[in-house]
Amino acid sequence: VDCHDILLMDNGHYLMMAYDPQLVDMSQVVPGGDTNATVTGLIIQEVDLDQNVYFQWRSWDHFQITDAVDNIDLTEPQIDYAHGNAFDFDENGDIMISSRHMDEITKIDYETGDIIWRWGLSAKNNQFTFVNDTIGFSHQHDIRMLDNGQLTIYDNGNEHEPEPFSQAVVYSLNEETMECTLEWNYRNQPEDVFFFATGSHRKLENGNHLI
């Protein structure tokens, strides 16, 4: 079981995540790959307190190891290609998963486990047009859906150029036109702040943002 995130569901069950390391001959995947690499996958489960499993989703069944962004070295003996670190339900009961090492938010059908869409400006499988944002998010944490359907993210910004910086962002997604709009962001100025890992961004009931 992984400690990044857990959700108490309305039915009294829990949504939880686990990391699933397996041995992989990476020489068959990338040039110079380790022939006996430990590659860590991601598992999402809905469980009750008696450990009964009602839903399970495995990154092994839906992602490719090569979906990792370029700063993840796939020739290392230890590879964490997805690194899921947050999830949340949308208004339809489907689930969105944040995968830090893919720079991607993935929406998954909670009935079938099929991928509905993949989102992230620097993600290899991005399906959205960023209409007013040339930066996007990188190695993000803490995706949450607001009551108005907008999404908050803590953007660690590891791969932002020319220098990394962290920020809090709010996006709206149009799933019909497959466009996303940056609705709000906070970037510390005049001097950027950068935190390479962890971090959180929540919008409070009074409209303020806690970063």
Side-chain angles (χ1 to χ4, degrees):
V1 175
D2 181 69
C3 64
H4 273 102
D5 207 354
I6 188 169
L7 291 178
L8 174 61
M9 301 172 63
D10 292 339
N11 59 7
H13 298 171
Y14 292 87
L15 194 70
M16 54 180 283
M17 64 172 58
Y19 284 179
D20 179 31
Q22 297 188 22
L23 294 177
V24 176
D25 180 0
M26 286 297 296
S27 69
Q28 302 298 312
V29 180
V30 293
D34 193 303
T35 58
N36 197 38
T38 300
V39 181
T40 300
L42 173 68
I43 292 179
I44 307 293
Q45 288 185 337
E46 176 188 341
V47 300
D48 62 20
L49 291 179
D50 295 320
Q51 301 180 26
N52 296 305
V53 178
Y54 296 84
F55 171 86
Q56 176 170 278
W57 186 90
R58 302 168 70 249
S59 65
W60 299 108
D61 301 326
H62 300 275
F63 291 160
Q64 302 295 319
I65 299 172
T66 51
D67 290 342
V69 292
D70 291 340
N71 73 324
I72 306 301
D73 189 349
L74 300 183
T75 66
E76 292 288 325
Q78 305 279 338
I79 300 169
D80 183 4
Y81 69 97
H83 196 87
N85 59 21
F87 44 50
D88 202 3
F89 287 103
D90 73 357
E91 67 275 10
N92 298 318
D94 295 316
I95 183 175
M96 294 168 293
I97 298 174
S98 167
S99 297
R100 169 179 165 89
H101 288 173
M102 293 163 45
D103 288 359
E104 178 177 312
I105 309 298
T106 313
K107 184 175 179 179
I108 295 165
D109 188 309
Y110 203 70
E111 295 294 327
T112 66
D114 294 337
I115 291 176
I116 298 174
W117 49 247
R118 307 178 73 165
W119 170 47
L121 185 61
S122 57
K124 292 183 177 179
N125 296 281
N126 174 53
Q127 297 175 282
F128 282 82
T129 299
F130 284 64
V131 297
N132 65 337
D133 181 15
T134 60
I135 296 173
F137 48 84
S138 170
H139 284 27
Q140 72 286 342
H141 278 81
D142 198 36
I143 178 172
R144 301 294 159 194
M145 171 160 276
L146 303 177
D147 291 340
N148 63 4
Q150 294 178 353
L151 298 166
T152 62
I153 300 175
Y154 182 84
D155 170 27
N156 289 87
N158 297 56
E159 294 299 295
H160 290 334
E161 296 180 347
E163 297 292 337
F165 67 89
S166 301
Q167 62 175 342
V169 291
V170 179
Y171 287 98
S172 61
L173 300 182
N174 186 324
E175 298 185 45
E176 294 183 1
T177 63
M178 299 301 286
E179 295 178 327
C180 76
T181 302
L182 180 65
E183 301 289 352
W184 181 91
N185 76 309
Y186 180 83
R187 176 178 175 180
N188 193 71
Q189 294 293 331
E191 295 185 9
D192 281 322
V193 178
F194 171 59
F195 298 99
F196 77 97
T198 71
S200 179
H201 168 213
R202 304 291 175 95
K203 189 173 183 180
L204 307 179
E205 291 183 0
N206 64 4
N208 293 342
H209 294 254
L210 177 63
I211 304 169

